Amino acid sequence: MTVNDEHWKLNLRLLPHLDDLKLLHVADVTHYYPLHLHEELCIAVINRGTETHICRGNQYDAAPGQLLVLNPEEAHESRSIGVEYRAVQINPRTFARLWPEDFGDKPAPFFAGPVFKDVELFQSFSRLYSTLESPSSPLEQEVQLVSAIEQLLARLGNRKFVKAEPRAVRTVRDYLRAHYSENISLSNLASIADLSPFHLVRVFSNKIGVPPHEYQTQVRITHAQRIMRSGAAISEAAIETGFFDQSHFSRHFKRITGFTPRTYLRRHSNIVQDRLA
């Protein structure tokens, strides 16, 4: 399918006083995204079109009036068809800080959906998005955020929690995040994890959903987006994140985000960063 991304509408707002929580408004997008992952918990209200996600071996179709909830770092494919949605993307550290006391020290809940038809939740997160993008007080914004998250957990409260990652997977994942720009060999990762290369690739891929090299590429692209949003040139972002050259960088950037780096910069030139006075 040939897609003209010139007609896409995207608006990204960052809220530093809420740990860089992201508000993303997307409209008129038709595109297929291959296997990828997000580092944040993503909660989107679908306003128009359809958003299809394939994860855990199943296909899920989100229609207008429904809620889409994506777990942090869960690999998935997605296809947007004439879609408009408004998403709140929450850093897992922020989510842990907002954690209800009765959940104790359990690991993060696992949302088994990811598509939910719940009118009250849809309205709640629509209101939250409006509050977060309006000139509301920081206190009001955080109270609304906490209330919406509490409602989400209560209404989808199957209390199904993510099982702890195998130590080897956690060690390798953390190492790749800390050394994302470096050229890392599989034998080096296997040594760190104290596993054979074959066993490491199998265990990591089964748990994360992508092999180690693809995970590193996804982390690199996430950092490249931040670097470019700070005003750096595309070539600078490519070098700083460890890509061979700008062509190599552009190919992976387009594959993962749906945009060329140049289009991304043009589309995101109006990013709003709300700051406390």
Side-chain angles (χ1 to χ4, degrees), residues 196-207:
S196 70
F198 174 82
H199 192 193
L200 171 60
V201 171
R202 181 163 58 84
V203 171
F204 191 94
S205 299
N206 286 342
K207 181 61 181 178

